[in-house]
Amino acid sequence: MPLGRNHPDPTPGGPNFGVINSGHMSGPVQAAAFSSNVSQTNHLAPGAVERAQDSIQDLRQLLDALSAQRPEAAQALRALDEISPRLNTADRDPGALRFMLETLTTACAAIPSVVAAAQAVHSSVAALLPAF
């Protein structure tokens, strides 16, 4: 029998659903539509933070070389200066890091020679963040 328009969706009792990301997933994860208080636990591969720091250093070197020629390089360097120290803290502030990554990607989009390196930073740092 259909519930009709004014009836809420059924909510199962019992424990809530959780999402566990083991680092081998290739797409977005979504818990069941009726679940509440969903949590996600990331299991990062060993060396993930180091790889992110390495990609930041690679991009920083490219941007340093271009900083005299391209004003966008200075903006991108400021974003990197904000991103890098946050990776070593336990609470990475995902919202702020996502905003900084967007700022970095936008600034680097105007410099064709660093777009790939900026995308590498974006991917390696975003992999450290919870997917919500």
Side-chain angles (χ1 to χ4, degrees), residues 13 18 25 29 42 56 59 61 63-64 66 72 74 79 81 89 92 96 101 106 109-110 119 124 126:
M25 303 178 90
V29 176
N42 284 348
I56 288 172
L59 179 58
Q61 289 174 355
L63 291 171
D64 282 337
L66 294 171
E72 299 90 355
D81 289 340
T89 62
R92 293 190 173 98
L101 287 171
T106 302
Q119 287 298 326
S124 62

Side-chain angles (χ1 to χ4, degrees), residues 2-131:
L3 294 177
R5 181 171 232 181
N6 295 323
H7 296 287
D9 289 334
T11 304
N16 293 318
F17 289 85
V19 176
I20 298 176
N21 184 353
S22 65
H24 302 290
M25 303 178 90
S26 61
V29 176
Q30 181 177 357
F34 52 80
S35 63
S36 59
N37 296 327
V38 176
S39 64
Q40 176 177 342
T41 304
N42 284 348
H43 296 290
L44 301 175
V49 174
E50 290 79 14
R51 283 191 296 276
Q53 291 287 10
D54 289 345
S55 65
I56 288 172
Q57 284 299 76
D58 292 343
L59 179 58
R60 185 181 306 279
Q61 289 174 355
L62 291 171
L63 291 171
D64 282 337
L66 294 171
S67 62
Q69 302 162 353
R70 305 293 300 238
E72 299 90 355
Q75 181 182 6
L77 284 168
R78 285 191 300 274
L80 284 178
D81 289 340
E82 293 295 321
I83 293 169
S84 188
R86 292 176 190 254
L87 296 182
N88 294 324
T89 62
D91 180 27
R92 293 190 173 98
D93 192 6
L97 271 173
R98 283 188 179 88
F99 178 77
M100 290 175 220
L101 287 171
E102 186 64 32
T103 301
L104 174 71
T105 306
T106 302
C108 289
I111 311 170
S113 59
V114 299
V115 171
Q119 287 298 326
V121 169
H122 188 280
S123 297
S124 62
V125 172
L128 301 173
L129 303 177

